[in-house]
Amino acid sequence: MAVGDTIQLREFCRLFQFGDREVRYVLERGYVPDGVRRAPSTGHRREFAPDQAYWLAILVKLKHAGLRTPLAARAADYATGGLRTITQNLSWDFQFLPMNRQFDTEHQYFLDIGDRECIRLVTDACPGRSGLHALDWHPVKGKREAVPNFRPFVTIRLDLVRIAEALKQVEAWS
């Protein structure tokens, strides 16, 4: 059940068909969204605001795809920061910002992870271009400088809009 502006762990897990234990394990290992206490007091339930739930969903979905938790956490940071830059700072899709309960978009947004070394966003929201546009690859670790000519053998792609659509089902957030 959602309580005010937050969603409890059980409802979060139900939305994404995650096991309670797997999400609790991630949180107990210290991979918590900004603003969430690492160890809540006894008797307090885990609750997440939209930005926290979005970040955590990205992390756990990437773990399901085979990434280790530290890499998945860095990818979740990159995805949420990059999405904010594209949709808000560049104004490519000002109406879409799942971290702020703005879940509707006509565009596609993907997070690509290549060979577990580099990361990028892919979208069709780029003005003046039709079809999907892949932004530059950046290293997952280290400086966020573009990596020219990076051609991965294996790419994991996460649909960021589907995560937003799942969170839109929370009655208090729709």
Side-chain angles (χ1 to χ4, degrees), residues 74-115:
R74 284 192 295 275
D77 288 341
Y78 181 90
T80 55
L83 199 57
R84 182 177 307 278
T85 298
I86 290 171
T87 63
Q88 307 303 297
N89 297 359
L90 296 176
S91 297
W92 286 7
D93 189 5
F94 201 78
Q95 307 274 341
F96 184 64
L97 188 61
M99 296 81 71
N100 198 31
R101 285 193 284 187
Q102 295 169 245
F103 301 114
D104 295 320
T105 184
E106 297 175 3
H107 298 287
Q108 300 176 69
Y109 293 93
F110 301 101
L111 176 70
D112 284 353
I113 301 170
D115 292 341

Side-chain angles (χ1 to χ4, degrees), residues 112-120 137 140 150 152-156:
D112 284 353
I113 301 170
D115 292 341
R116 298 181 190 210
E117 294 176 22
C118 289
I119 192 167
R120 70 178 178 189
W137 287 105
V140 175
F150 180 73
F153 286 96
V154 176
T155 302
I156 297 171

Side-chain angles (χ1 to χ4, degrees), residues 3-28:
V3 179
D5 283 344
T6 61
I7 184 174
Q8 291 182 3
L9 178 67
R10 178 168 289 157
E11 178 69 6
F12 172 80
C13 290
R14 184 195 63 76
L15 283 173
F16 293 100
Q17 297 157 359
F18 296 150
D20 282 10
R21 302 254 327 123
E22 75 176 312
V23 177
R24 286 183 197 282
Y25 177 79
V26 167
L27 297 169
E28 288 167 4

Side-chain angles (χ1 to χ4, degrees), residues 25-59:
Y25 177 79
V26 167
L27 297 169
E28 288 167 4
R29 299 275 309 201
Y31 296 97
V32 295
D34 286 341
V36 173
R37 295 178 65 181
R38 288 184 82 164
S41 305
T42 304
H44 288 87
R45 296 184 176 161
R46 292 271 190 190
E47 294 181 357
F48 307 102
D51 60 330
Q52 298 161 343
Y54 193 73
W55 183 90
L56 188 58
I58 292 169
L59 185 152

